[in-house]
Amino acid sequence: MANKIPNGLDKLGLKNIGEIYYNLSYDELQAHEVNHGECKISSTGTAMCDTGIFTGRSPKDKYFVDQAPSNEHIAWGDVNKKIDKEIYDELLDVTLSQLSGKNIYVMDVYAGASKASRRKVRFISEVAWQAHFVKNMFIRPTEEELEDFEPDFTVYNACKTVNEKYKEHGLNSDVFVVFNVEENTSIIGGTWYGGEMKKGIFSMMNYWLPLEGKLSMHCSANVGKENDVCLFFGLSGTGKTTLSTDPNRALIGDDEHGWDDNGVFNFEGGCYAKVINLDEKSEPEIFGAIVKDALLENVVADESGNVDYEDGSKTENTRVSYPIEHIENHKEDLQAGHPNNIIFLTADAFGVLPPVSKLNKEQAMYYFLSGYTAKVAGTERGITEPQATFSACFGEAFLPLHPTVYAKLLGEKIDEHQVNVYLVNTGWTGGPYGVGKRMSIKDTRACIDGILNGSINNAEFDTLPIFNLSIPKTLEGVKDNKVLNPRETWANKEEYDAMLNKLAGMFQENFHRYDGNGGEFDFASAGPQL
């Protein structure tokens, strides 16, 4: 669609535009990528690009323009940093100057599968593979829908320029990722990383939807043959992608979703998966998705295009983006009804939490706000102590509003739709990391199956002290019921009790950040009580 003039492009401030490559097809994009030397092609037909010195997001360079009335809603701090409107205007000029006089790629896409909640987003870039990334990651309009497409939000990606005045501006570096909520624009400079565009729009959906009474969520979602919907929340390493991929359930999406009056819907039209140490046997769906139209980032391949997924010499954060159609068992309309079950995944390396526990509404709000997992310590000799990680709502880096806004919305929707909520520990049992062992996949699957088929609701429950969690005494598919009560798996019960108290203290310490923010609801009362 070269040289088609997209609706409203004359209002964007670009001058002396060369060729306009508008919503190119995959074949056209791949031809541009190869001809411009941006990409090579793998042995499976997949384009391979490098994202330069930035192989991940630059969270310290993310800013929101400080202007009314949107600044009254934004939770200012380390996640959402302020930038003056005057500095934004300067950076917008730098951005427009970079993109003017160039051949540009314009991609018009949807964020959100629900017509009642979606946003029309326009991306402008001078790099073909970035247009390819956008085409993969967002929902692709039909030719008919593009005819009268007027964007709600526009992203200018001027990755080839930098802010040379960043010290004068008092900013972190010459990289900038800035959101102007009032003008419905975002500008990117200095970083080529595609994930900035994906997570930038996620941040904006996290701003828009809650103000409309709709919940935005960093989670995966699938739906069963009886139209029962399950949401999976979890930080990196908890098993979110693996456990939500189920041959008997259709994938709604793997990362970003909304929940409006009609039910759950995917924000995206594709997946963005890590591929470091990717193995065909353990993750066949992702492996099989890496074909033509997919886009690999920062991988190492030989002269024949054979990718070495174990090679992390460029980065450990090697990635692939691909249209969700590459996953055979997906929900075609990317939406379903209201959830029956919500699962919070944690990999507790302290060996304290049970493999599955049922939460009441207040506990669900508490553990949602906590966003807990524990990472194994680094490889430094003698260091075996796990490191607790708390990320509000399992996605704190992308929340423009205060976390309690999302937690209260979750509680309202749990009440309205009578949703069951569970905490599932995929971490350690029988002791902490270095003493105990990782929870078996078989036992974790049995817990998930018990939730999805409802059999867990027929179990008798015990109460885990201090945390006051309801844990089943027995569960179909779990061979040794001792594993359901973590204290029973420890050889030294006194050591377990000490670790239980230690972890409870970490939860309480983290939760002080919410002191006074609960309003009429005392969130902390639903957490551990020492």
Side-chain angles (χ1 to χ4, degrees):
M1 262 197 249
N3 276 329
K4 179 186 184 303
I5 306 298
N7 296 324
L9 193 63
D10 56 328
K11 304 173 185 175
L12 299 181
L14 298 175
K15 299 175 181 178
N16 304 316
I17 302 172
E19 295 282 329
I20 300 170
Y21 300 115
Y22 181 59
N23 276 62
L24 295 186
S25 69
Y26 279 113
D27 286 345
E28 290 169 325
L29 284 167
Q30 188 168 105
H32 281 238
E33 291 163 344
V34 173
N35 291 340
H36 297 165
E38 295 177 10
C39 293
K40 295 180 180 178
I41 306 301
S42 79
S43 58
T44 63
T46 308
M48 300 181 292
C49 71
D50 284 351
T51 65
I53 60 172
F54 292 94
T55 57
R57 291 181 302 103
S58 301
K60 293 183 178 179
D61 299 303
K62 175 184 171 184
Y63 304 91
F64 282 85
V65 178
D66 182 12
Q67 63 186 126
S70 56
N71 57 2
E72 297 176 9
H73 299 292
I74 295 171
W76 300 113
D78 291 339
V79 172
N80 304 307
K81 294 178 287 296
K82 295 181 179 182
I83 191 170
D84 291 339
K85 175 66 162 57
E86 293 74 16
I87 297 176
Y88 168 80
D89 288 339
E90 282 191 51
L91 294 178
L92 178 61
D93 286 342
V94 169
T95 299
L96 294 176
S97 176
Q98 175 63 35
L99 293 171
S100 293
K102 308 291 195 310
N103 296 337
I104 60 170
Y105 296 87
V106 179
M107 295 297 299
D108 284 347
V109 294
Y110 293 122
S114 168
K115 290 184 178 180
S117 303
R118 70 172 32 160
R119 293 299 192 276
K120 299 175 181 178
V121 185
R122 172 167 291 166
F123 290 87
I124 299 172
S125 173
E126 57 179 305
V127 178
W129 74 253
Q130 291 180 345
H132 183 170
F133 177 88
V134 166
K135 190 177 186 75
N136 279 351
M137 291 312 307
F138 293 90
I139 295 171
R140 297 162 281 283
T142 64
E143 293 294 323
E144 185 179 1
E145 288 171 328
L146 287 173
E147 287 299 320
D148 60 355
F149 193 102
E150 292 278 358
D152 300 311
F153 194 84
T154 301
V155 179
Y156 300 88
N157 192 331
C159 61
K160 293 184 179 181
T161 193
V162 295
N163 177 17
E164 296 179 350
K165 296 169 63 177
Y166 78 92
K167 291 182 180 178
E168 179 184 329
H169 290 153
L171 304 181
N172 176 65
S173 78
D174 60 3
V175 172
F176 56 90
V177 181
V178 188
F179 300 86
N180 187 322
V181 178
E182 298 308 316
E183 296 181 8
N184 287 310
T185 55
S186 175
I187 53 177
I188 299 172
T191 173
W192 292 60
Y193 185 63
E196 294 288 7
M197 296 183 288
K198 165 186 160 69
K199 290 302 187 186
I201 296 304
F202 183 46
S203 294
M204 287 308 306
M205 293 294 273
N206 283 330
Y207 176 87
W208 291 315
L209 294 195
L211 297 179
E212 299 174 358
K214 302 166 183 177
L215 184 59
S216 51
M217 305 173 292
H218 194 204
C219 68
S220 58
N222 64 24
V223 57
K225 294 172 183 176
E226 302 299 321
N227 293 319
D228 57 302
V229 176
C230 186
L231 306 180
F232 296 80
F233 291 84
L235 301 177
S236 179
T238 58
K240 178 170 66 107
T241 300
T242 301
L243 293 171
S244 62
T245 302
D246 188 324
N248 297 312
R249 299 175 64 82
L251 182 69
I252 302 169
D254 77 329
D255 195 38
E256 302 172 4
H257 292 83
W259 186 354
D260 62 15
D261 290 341
N262 300 315
V264 171
F265 60 96
N266 196 344
F267 286 169
E268 302 182 305
C271 303
Y272 194 38
K274 288 185 179 181
V275 295
I276 192 69
N277 298 318
L278 180 65
D279 176 67
E280 183 175 8
K281 290 182 179 178
S282 59
E283 296 185 276
E285 290 85 5
I286 295 175
F287 195 91
I290 305 176
V291 292
K292 186 180 176 298
D293 298 346
L295 178 66
L296 284 160
E297 293 178 0
N298 302 312
V299 296
V300 176
D302 63 21
E303 292 183 359
S304 299
N306 298 304
V307 179
D308 181 359
Y309 291 111
E310 295 182 2
D311 193 329
S313 56
K314 293 180 182 178
T315 177
E316 289 290 308
N317 191 35
T318 52
R319 294 267 183 173
V320 63
S321 67
Y322 51 85
I324 199 168
E325 291 84 359
H326 286 198
I327 299 294
E328 184 177 346
N329 191 25
H330 73 279
K331 187 79 162 42
E332 286 190 15
D333 62 356
L334 305 177
Q335 51 191 321
H338 300 288
N340 302 75
N341 298 293
I342 294 174
I343 297 172
F344 298 149
L345 296 166
T346 182
D348 176 28
F350 295 96
V352 164
L353 295 178
V356 62
S357 47
K358 190 169 184 178
L359 308 180
N360 60 34
K361 182 191 76 173
E362 290 75 23
Q363 288 175 321
M365 296 164 74
Y366 177 89
Y367 285 96
F368 185 59
L369 273 175
S370 296
Y372 164 72
T373 194
K375 295 180 179 179
V376 173
T379 55
E380 186 177 341
R381 185 175 298 173
I383 302 296
T384 59
E385 177 71 9
Q387 305 295 315
T389 300
F390 296 94
S391 180
C393 310
F394 299 94
E396 186 169 2
F398 317 113
L399 304 182
L401 311 180
H402 195 278
T404 55
V405 172
Y406 307 91
K408 289 174 183 177
L409 265 175
L410 177 71
E412 291 170 10
K413 290 192 174 294
I414 289 170
D415 258 351
E416 182 179 357
H417 301 288
Q418 296 299 295
V419 187
N420 295 312
V421 186
Y422 302 88
L423 182 66
V424 170
N425 175 24
T426 61
W428 273 254
T429 183
Y433 169 76
V435 178
K437 61 181 181 179
R438 192 77 190 255
M439 204 78 67
S440 77
I441 290 290
K442 186 177 180 181
D443 283 341
T444 297
R445 280 287 185 191
C447 294
I448 300 294
D449 289 344
I451 292 168
L452 296 177
N453 65 30
S455 62
I456 192 171
N457 296 313
N458 301 323
E460 289 186 51
F461 285 82
D462 276 331
T463 300
L464 185 74
I466 307 297
F467 281 79
N468 296 315
L469 295 171
S470 295
I471 55 178
K473 293 182 178 181
T474 60
L475 198 60
E476 184 179 340
V478 176
K479 188 174 181 181
D480 184 359
N481 289 317
K482 276 187 177 181
V483 77
L484 295 171
N485 187 330
R487 191 174 191 270
E488 296 303 310
T489 66
W490 282 53
N492 188 317
K493 304 297 190 280
E494 290 182 357
E495 287 182 3
Y496 172 82
D497 294 338
M499 192 67 81
L500 180 77
N501 281 271
K502 180 177 180 178
L503 182 60
M506 292 179 184
F507 268 89
Q508 291 185 336
E509 180 64 29
N510 170 68
F511 224 77
H512 284 313
R513 60 196 294 208
Y514 300 119
D515 289 348
N517 285 307
E520 72 286 353
F521 179 67
D522 178 15
F523 289 106
S525 65
Q529 304 297 312
L530 286 170

